[in-house]
Amino acid sequence: MEIPFGHVENNTLFRSAFGQVAALQLKEVKEGELEAAVAYFTARFDKLKLKLEEIEEKINSQSNKGSFLSSLQNIEDSIPTHDGLGDYQTLLDRIGPLKSLLEDYVQKNRAKNTEIKQALLLELDAILANNDQEEAFEQIKDLKSRWLKTGSADQSVRAELEEKFKSGVDGFFEKRNAFTEDKKMLVKARLDEYQGIIAEIKSFIEKKDYQSSVDRVKELQKQWKEVGRIPENEFKTVNDTYWKVTQDYFDKQKKRRSSERKLKAKDEKQSLKAKQEILNELKSLVQNAFGSEVKAFDALKTKWKNSGHVSKKAHPEVHESFMQLSREWQERQFVWNLTHKKNKGFAKKDWKSQLKDLTRVIRDLLHRDETELKSFNENMGNMHINKGSFVDMLNDKLKTQQEKVALKKNLLKECQEKIKQL
């Protein structure tokens, strides 16, 4: 079978090398599994390609292009180890120009932001020269808002510009605080900000919006610390209210999460029951697997997939039973199909004759598997490696080979017993 952008070597499917990227091992494939494996890994590539196309479309259609630079970088970084089959070089060729476009866009934006902030600093100098404190105060608030809304300046001057602006604004308020009336206004503004934070947290509680609001509440907690000083007696009152409201919010948040965990545990219990029922159906199917319909097995696989989540850590035996029964069903199907292929007129024979043909094929397969197992054990005995991922891989292969031998023996015994009963 020809495999675009891939190849098979020693029963292992590889993604072929391209550019400076080495070939990538994807999966060991048995007889009859190659086509499905190729389709799976091709779909993996198509999914990554679609993701890139979606990002490219957003870059072309949206004004905030710079926000997609990290997404492009993530896709580019993933390509050398991405387990799929397709023209990855074309993806890299598309990513390169897009990255250059976005980097240029970001650089131009920062240059523009630098010019804006330099102009705002000139406005700040004019405001600081204004002797009308009330007018200057409103101008400072407006200027500060525009400064915060302006994006980052160029890295080479960013710290200098921020320091100049902070120094100018801080100097203004230090001068303003010298006047009692102005100080009262500042206290009122800060008190309003404190009360605004409390009101926003209260609104989340009233709307029972605990799931989407948690990040915002954490931002509000940081904002609370940065509002600034107010007279101690006023701060104590508002601070006591703030702590009561935030405690109420997080208590209810904790209660919601606890309810979700209980609901999840209940759902998992139902899923476990459903999976155990599917295992019983699969056991019955396996017992009659010789020549059974593939659709029946596929239907059970789909049913298993849709039966809900069951933790592999909490119930490893459930997942292992499904995998073991699935392997046994596939092995029985393989033996049946191979026997059908090797024996002319097999389908028209009576059941006893078919069992005899099956017995001969299983015996040959068992001999082959036992020979391979013996050879594998001898080769492992000659190796002087006692740890590491390579040894783990060898042990996994050994376990698989042992399971194949054990299964063939069981199938052989089953066929021989059925012949005796006829």
Side-chain angles (χ1 to χ4, degrees):
M1 174 181 176
E2 184 177 350
I3 306 172
F5 308 105
H7 61 278
V8 174
E9 183 178 337
N10 296 329
N11 294 327
T12 300
L13 178 61
F14 286 81
R15 184 189 72 183
S16 297
F18 58 92
Q20 301 298 317
V21 181
L24 179 66
Q25 180 176 328
L26 298 177
K27 180 183 179 182
E28 291 186 16
V29 289
K30 298 179 181 179
E31 183 177 349
E33 295 181 343
L34 180 58
E35 184 176 348
V38 170
Y40 169 77
F41 289 110
T42 299
R44 289 273 300 162
F45 169 81
D46 291 340
K47 185 176 181 181
L48 183 66
K49 180 182 177 183
L50 179 61
K51 184 177 181 181
L52 175 59
E53 289 172 348
E54 290 173 350
I55 292 173
E56 187 174 8
E57 194 277 330
K58 290 178 181 178
I59 291 172
N60 293 329
S61 62
Q62 296 185 20
S63 58
N64 188 22
K65 302 180 187 297
S67 61
F68 301 107
L69 184 57
S70 61
S71 298
L72 280 178
Q73 187 64 55
N74 290 338
I75 292 178
E76 184 181 48
D77 292 343
S78 72
I79 285 177
T81 57
H82 190 266
D83 52 340
L85 287 173
D87 191 358
Y88 285 91
Q89 185 60 53
T90 298
L91 299 188
L92 290 174
D93 293 342
R94 288 170 67 179
I95 290 172
L98 288 172
K99 282 181 60 182
S100 298
L101 172 69
L102 295 188
E103 288 168 353
D104 182 63
Y105 175 85
V106 170
Q107 184 59 39
K108 287 179 179 177
N109 267 6
R110 288 182 177 174
K112 181 180 178 182
N113 293 339
T114 299
E115 293 176 1
I116 293 173
K117 290 199 169 184
Q118 287 171 338
L120 291 176
L121 284 174
L122 294 176
E123 285 189 47
L124 178 61
D125 290 339
I127 293 171
L128 294 177
N130 187 354
N131 291 324
D132 186 340
Q133 288 291 305
E134 293 301 323
E135 182 182 18
F137 174 68
E138 294 300 325
Q139 291 172 337
I140 282 286
K141 286 200 298 181
D142 174 68
L143 186 68
K144 188 175 180 181
S145 175
R146 285 185 284 148
W147 182 276
L148 293 174
K149 290 178 181 177
T150 303
S152 299
D154 189 84
Q155 183 69 35
S156 61
V157 296
R158 187 182 304 167
E160 179 184 355
L161 295 179
E162 294 293 337
E163 179 57 31
K164 285 183 179 180
F165 184 81
K166 183 178 185 300
S167 176
V169 171
D170 288 349
F172 170 82
F173 282 108
E174 287 173 5
K175 181 179 178 181
R176 187 172 182 274
N177 288 340
F179 301 94
T180 304
E181 192 61 34
D182 291 340
K183 190 172 183 179
K184 288 181 180 179
M185 291 178 64
L186 177 62
V187 169
K188 183 179 183 305
R190 290 175 174 174
L191 185 59
D192 288 345
E193 190 170 353
Y194 279 128
Q195 291 172 339
I197 292 171
I198 292 172
E200 188 169 351
I201 298 175
K202 279 184 176 180
S203 73
F204 294 137
I205 297 174
E206 291 169 359
K207 293 183 292 186
K208 298 182 179 180
D209 179 10
Y210 303 110
Q211 187 166 358
S212 62
S213 64
V214 62
D215 289 338
R216 176 57 182 162
V217 171
K218 290 180 180 179
E219 289 177 7
L220 291 172
Q221 287 180 304
K222 291 180 181 179
Q223 186 178 330
W224 180 272
K225 297 176 182 178
E226 297 169 358
V227 171
R229 293 176 62 84
I230 60 174
E232 186 64 31
N233 61 327
E234 294 186 70
F235 180 73
K236 184 179 186 306
T237 301
V238 74
N239 192 54
D240 288 346
T241 303
Y242 164 76
W243 281 107
K244 181 179 179 181
V245 170
T246 52
Q247 185 65 46
D248 186 29
Y249 173 86
F250 284 108
D251 284 347
K252 287 182 168 63
Q253 179 74 264
K254 184 178 179 180
K255 185 177 180 180
R256 178 190 69 83
R257 290 176 176 171
S258 177
S259 297
E260 287 181 349
R261 284 194 295 269
K262 290 179 181 178
L263 181 61
K264 183 179 179 182
K266 182 180 179 182
D267 290 343
E268 184 159 336
K269 186 176 180 180
Q270 293 173 344
S271 297
L272 178 61
K273 182 180 178 182
K275 288 188 183 296
Q276 288 170 336
E277 291 174 354
I278 295 170
L279 284 177
N280 291 332
E281 292 182 54
L282 185 54
K283 286 177 185 177
S284 177
L285 183 65
V286 167
Q287 290 172 359
N288 302 282
F290 282 129
S292 64
E293 287 290 333
V294 175
K295 290 181 180 179
F297 178 66
D298 289 341
L300 282 178
K301 286 201 298 183
T302 301
K303 192 174 179 182
W304 178 271
K305 182 179 179 181
N306 297 331
S307 61
H309 174 75
V310 172
S311 170
K312 290 184 179 180
K313 184 176 181 181
H315 301 282
E317 74 289 349
V318 173
H319 294 275
E320 180 58 34
S321 294
F322 180 77
M323 294 302 297
Q324 186 174 349
L325 286 168
S326 296
R327 288 193 295 268
E328 184 174 347
W329 186 90
Q330 291 166 347
E331 191 71 21
R332 286 172 177 265
Q333 287 297 103
F334 168 72
V335 170
W336 178 268
N337 292 333
L338 182 61
T339 306
H340 193 284
K341 183 178 179 181
K342 285 189 171 186
N343 293 272
K344 188 175 181 180
F346 176 77
K348 296 180 179 180
K349 293 182 178 181
D350 59 46
W351 178 228
K352 186 172 184 179
S353 298
Q354 287 181 338
L355 284 172
K356 289 181 179 180
D357 290 341
L358 285 167
T359 300
R360 284 193 296 272
V361 171
I362 294 171
R363 188 177 287 113
D364 290 341
L365 291 173
L366 176 60
H367 177 71
R368 182 197 67 184
D369 289 346
E370 287 179 331
T371 301
E372 290 179 1
L373 178 59
K374 181 180 179 182
S375 176
F376 194 88
N377 278 318
E378 290 174 352
N379 290 335
M380 283 193 68
N382 293 329
M383 293 182 182
H384 301 289
I385 306 173
N386 53 20
K387 62 181 179 178
S389 59
F390 181 67
V391 172
D392 293 339
M393 181 190 72
L394 290 177
N395 286 332
D396 288 341
K397 285 188 175 182
L398 176 60
K399 182 181 178 182
T400 299
Q401 194 64 28
Q402 289 172 336
E403 289 176 351
K404 287 171 67 176
V405 169
L407 181 54
K408 295 291 193 317
K409 287 181 177 180
N410 288 336
L411 290 178
L412 182 61
K413 182 179 179 181
E414 179 183 328
C415 288
Q416 289 171 338
E417 289 177 352
K418 286 182 177 180
I419 290 172
K420 291 178 181 179
Q421 293 171 4
L422 294 176

